[in-house]
Amino acid sequence: MKPAPSLPLQQHPYFAAALTRLGRTVRFMPVDGAAPVLSVRQFGQWITSRGPVWQGGRNADALRCTGLRFINADIPDDALLRAAGYRRLMTNAHVAELDLSGTREDRQKAMQPKWRNAWRVGQKARVTLKDERYCATTHEWLLKADLAQQRAKRFRGLPHALIGAYAATSPKSVRVLTAHDGKDPIAGMLFLLHSPVATYHIGWTNARGRVLCAHHHMIVDAADRLAQLGFTRLDLGLVDTESAPGLARFKIGTGADVRPLGGTWLRLSGR
């Protein structure tokens, strides 16, 4: 059996199903040399994010024929996109991806020294970790905590309605990892699974959790659990050293590979 392609969340059928449940119009466009490209209809235009995911030779003519107006490209290939009639709107963002295909020892060796020391502090703390399937009632506290931190830190994530839709259409694919110090949660993480890749979607901790380095402990525990289940990559999301330097340092410190995405591009009329 051919292995499933390693698609980012924004190109996976589970994501498409969740968007459809939310009333969005989506379709998969065939592109020669790439996985079918998930596109969303918005403002009368077809838009794709983190695509195409090329699996063979890259084909500018095939991309030109898709009718896609906007592309947030998964890989940097300016020559290809220009040949397909696109012009750049925004520069490349960067994403952190943790390789799960190796051993636990491989991942530990890849950690930055200060990060590894913090992880060891977290391991020694008397913290209980609980891994559960997402439940809207049980984990409402985490969503409320996330909204509060979004307001405090002045950022916006994807709407929480997406989590409910994802859980409704792919019930086993939303996982919540919680750290408890006694009865009270001190940190939480929510993951969206889209085998063979998982995406770190929400992370929250309080002052006690930061002192105990709970997130360091949790992300390593999550990586180990996912690797045992056959996942090959954990997508830690965007790395923004200007707007969120602390979170960027956390992601980089795990030993994740930080790579550029392809930027945002617009298809010019008549090209």
Side-chain angles (χ1 to χ4, degrees):
M1 182 180 295
K2 187 177 181 180
S6 296
L7 300 174
L9 173 68
Q10 297 87 341
Q11 287 296 308
H12 198 276
Y14 288 0
F15 190 69
L19 291 178
T20 300
R21 186 177 177 86
L22 293 175
R24 305 296 296 275
T25 301
V26 304
R27 71 176 183 180
F28 283 94
M29 298 181 175
V31 178
D32 186 33
V37 178
L38 173 58
S39 306
V40 183
R41 189 74 171 171
Q42 190 169 357
F43 306 119
Q45 307 290 345
W46 288 106
I47 300 171
T48 193
S49 182
R50 296 290 300 273
V53 177
W54 297 101
Q55 298 177 316
R58 302 175 193 175
N59 190 325
D61 289 335
L63 183 57
R64 184 185 297 109
C65 293
T66 61
L68 286 171
R69 181 72 166 162
F70 292 93
I71 291 180
N72 293 308
D74 187 59
I75 59 171
D77 193 333
D78 293 11
L80 173 81
L81 287 160
R82 291 188 187 280
Y86 292 87
R87 292 296 178 265
R88 181 190 292 278
L89 296 180
M90 296 180 64
T91 57
N92 308 55
H94 289 74
V95 66
E97 296 173 333
L98 188 61
D99 183 9
L100 303 181
S101 63
T103 65
R104 191 173 196 261
E105 290 70 26
D106 292 333
R107 293 191 290 276
Q108 290 175 15
K109 290 176 182 177
M111 298 172 186
Q112 293 187 353
K114 287 182 66 175
W115 202 98
R116 188 185 298 112
N117 291 338
W119 166 62
R120 286 172 175 156
V121 170
Q123 271 196 313
K124 293 176 182 177
R126 295 181 178 179
V127 170
T128 302
L129 299 187
K130 183 184 291 185
D131 176 31
E132 300 173 300
R133 186 190 299 186
Y134 170 76
C135 169
T137 302
T138 303
H139 301 115
E140 182 182 15
W141 68 270
L142 179 57
L143 302 190
K144 288 182 176 178
D146 179 56
L147 287 177
Q149 74 177 352
Q150 287 188 39
R151 289 191 294 268
K153 297 178 181 180
R154 298 183 180 180
F155 74 93
R156 291 185 64 182
L158 291 172
H160 287 167
L162 176 67
I163 297 169
Y166 203 96
T169 53
S170 306
K172 297 180 180 180
S173 296
V174 185
R175 305 294 304 185
V176 176
L177 186 60
T178 309
H180 287 83
D181 182 25
K183 294 183 179 180
D184 299 323
I186 60 172
M189 290 181 168
L190 185 145
F191 299 88
L192 301 178
L193 311 185
H194 42 106
S195 181
V197 184
T199 293
Y200 169 54
H201 190 62
I202 288 178
W204 168 86
T205 188
N206 61 16
R208 181 62 175 164
R210 286 188 286 273
V211 168
L212 297 180
C213 300
H215 269 183
H216 295 75
H217 187 184
M218 294 169 75
I219 204 72
V220 173
D221 183 87
D224 289 345
R225 293 172 190 260
L226 291 166
Q228 290 171 5
L229 292 171
F231 287 80
T232 59
R233 187 172 80 225
L234 175 56
D235 188 334
L236 298 177
L238 295 178
V239 174
D240 188 340
T241 56
E242 294 186 4
S243 300
L247 182 57
R249 286 194 297 271
F250 174 81
K251 293 177 180 180
I252 294 169
T254 64
D257 177 39
V258 178
R259 70 171 181 89
L261 299 177
T264 301
W265 296 75
L266 169 68
R267 174 81 184 279
L268 301 179
S269 300
R271 296 297 298 270

